[in-house]
Amino acid sequence: MIRRMVVAVLATSCLLAQVDSAPSTRTAPTPQAAAEAVLGPSVTKRESAVKWALEHPETHGAIADRLRAMGPELHFDGVRALGRLRFPEITAALRNVVTAPSFAWKPMALEALADHADAESAVFFTAALVSPVARSRAAGIRGLAALGAFEEVPDNARLSEDEEAAVRLEYARAAFDYDPKRAVVVACRDLTLDRKFGDFDPGKVARTAASDWLKTLGGTVPSVERALDAPSAATIAAQVLKARGASLETPPTIVAHPPDVEAPATLIEVRSCIEGDLFLRVAPDGRLVFGRDALRTFRVEPSLAVAVIDAVAALDLGSKGRRILGPVNCDFIRIVRGGATPESLLVGTGKGDAAVLRVHTAVVAAIASAVGSEAAAAQARRAGPFLPKS
């Protein structure tokens, strides 16, 4: 019995040795197949294809052609991954798509160009600083910083008070080399941000990102589970600046972010890489609170707010109170019906139904009354891909 087992093991070892020594029969991917994998939805295939493309120049033209075609199959993470492929053909194709008004993944293309530190893209980075899309604004800052040109942008300090924390932190990183005190104060101020939006905690996300960067500068930041008060944030700012050798004639002063508002039970969230994002809280007394970090409150006729709330109440959210319609990527609509147990509907492109259209119609009417027809039109464009095609 033992002898037979030994013989079997030896035979298996010989077979494995033969397989290892035999030439591989696996064929190399064609340039077109590599391009499909880089820009497609599979994370595993993308990673392998990017590594292949780094070592095989014949794939670069195919990837560039696939990107320029701007087909709906392009995945946003695939476009973002092109930042690792810093080759002339791909850089040129990225420049091409950021000028196309209808290209859905422009923020990711700008981020990839920032990775390339492409001097010819400086004009695109500058234009992105006033984009309605926060991710594009942040990419514009990073791209100009990579070129050593952000300091030269007139009035760039306004971005330190951007409505989104990711943009503010990108400003801090870019400004640190020429205005370290302001940069550190901007980051430390976000340690005071307390925000909730449904089951999402953007305040903690902002605090964590700021803390992570401050730690790279030598700062010691306590737990970010809760927002800090202004004096505590100012103490951290002083400590960081001291660690970096800055001379402080006056200690840094930090004005805390305003407190969060009581969250109404009805929340509307719409993400768009073209039109920017909408975060809206609707209360039955006619209050509309816009924004996620920087909050703006408006009052409309209560009937307009109630129309939104009633439309949301009529949604079929399924037996588990969490329903998904259609394929969801980084653009989507999320509708939340609050209460003791919040319920939500997540809507992907091309799958909106009549009930979603009713919510949309009520939201646009409320926005028009609160902030005007231009904002209402932007919301109509933002939500368009998620509504019934008819």
Side-chain angles (χ1 to χ4, degrees):
M1 177 68 176
I2 294 175
R3 185 172 181 277
R4 285 198 300 271
M5 290 174 64
V6 170
V7 170
V9 169
L10 290 173
T12 302
S13 300
C14 291
L15 179 61
L16 289 173
Q18 292 172 7
V19 170
D20 287 342
S21 62
S24 174
T25 58
R26 184 180 177 183
T27 59
T30 65
Q32 290 71 28
E36 292 291 338
V38 167
L39 292 165
S42 170
V43 176
T44 304
K45 290 181 180 179
R46 181 184 310 120
E47 185 61 25
S48 297
V50 167
K51 290 178 180 177
W52 179 267
L54 285 168
E55 299 176 0
H56 294 82
E58 68 274 13
T59 64
H60 301 166
I63 294 170
D65 289 343
R66 183 72 188 85
L67 179 64
R68 284 193 187 94
M70 294 186 289
E73 304 84 7
L74 292 185
H75 195 274
F76 59 93
D77 281 337
V79 175
R80 181 64 187 89
L82 297 181
R84 295 165 59 188
L85 301 177
R86 302 175 185 125
F87 303 104
E89 303 100 313
I90 294 173
T91 304
L94 286 165
R95 283 194 225 112
N96 182 266
V97 297
V98 298
T99 62
S102 62
F103 182 60
W105 312 131
K106 187 180 294 187
M108 297 77 185
L110 284 165
E111 290 172 343
L113 282 172
D115 290 344
H116 288 217
D118 178 48
E120 292 187 41
S121 296
V123 63
F124 306 140
F125 297 142
T126 301
L129 299 181
V130 294
S131 169
V133 183
R135 193 164 175 173
S136 289
R137 297 196 298 277
I141 294 172
R142 195 160 60 79
L144 290 169
L147 300 175
F150 183 62
E151 183 181 358
E152 301 168 9
V153 175
D155 193 30
N156 70 25
R158 62 185 166 74
L159 292 160
S160 68
E161 298 179 358
D162 193 271
E163 63 184 3
E164 291 290 341
V167 180
R168 298 192 294 270
L169 185 57
E170 206 63 67
Y171 168 88
R173 291 192 183 104
F176 183 76
D177 287 339
Y178 67 90
D179 193 350
K181 183 176 180 181
R182 183 177 184 87
V184 169
V185 165
V186 167
C188 285
R189 183 173 187 247
D190 272 353
L191 298 175
T192 73
L193 184 68
D194 181 17
R195 292 289 182 273
K196 295 286 180 63
F197 193 86
D199 57 2
F200 184 49
D201 191 342
K204 184 178 179 180
V205 170
R207 297 192 302 270
T208 300
S211 173
D212 289 347
W213 182 65
L214 291 164
K215 288 175 183 176
T216 69
L217 301 177
T220 302
V221 182
S223 170
V224 295
E225 287 300 316
R226 289 184 173 83
L228 301 184
D229 58 24
S232 298
T235 298
I236 293 170
Q239 174 214 340
V240 170
L241 290 166
K242 183 179 179 180
R244 303 300 294 189
S247 58
L248 296 176
E249 296 179 2
T250 58
T253 300
I254 289 179
V255 178
H257 283 283
D260 203 0
V261 298
E262 181 182 353
T266 301
L267 308 176
I268 309 294
E269 176 181 355
V270 188
R271 302 295 191 98
S272 170
C273 283
I274 294 177
E275 295 292 340
D277 302 333
L278 172 79
F279 299 94
L280 179 63
R281 316 179 202 197
V282 183
D285 62 2
R287 278 179 300 129
L288 270 62
V289 183
F290 291 83
R292 187 172 61 174
D293 287 0
L295 305 179
R296 298 174 298 142
T297 300
F298 296 85
R299 284 195 175 271
V300 298
E301 285 294 325
S303 60
L304 291 171
V306 170
V308 175
I309 294 168
D310 287 349
V312 171
L315 290 173
D316 175 13
L317 302 185
S319 59
K320 296 182 178 180
R322 185 177 287 270
R323 187 176 170 213
I324 299 176
L325 283 177
V328 175
N329 49 48
C330 68
D331 284 4
F332 57 84
I333 290 179
R334 185 166 69 124
I335 302 168
V336 179
R337 191 162 61 205
T341 305
E343 301 175 307
S344 66
L345 174 65
L346 198 61
V347 184
T349 54
K351 292 293 183 178
D353 58 19
V356 175
L357 179 60
R358 179 186 170 193
V359 174
H360 165 72
T361 302
V363 167
V364 168
I367 290 175
S369 177
V371 290
S373 58
E374 186 174 337
Q379 170 60 12
R381 295 191 300 270
R382 184 184 291 120
F386 312 105
L387 301 176
K389 296 302 180 184
S390 59

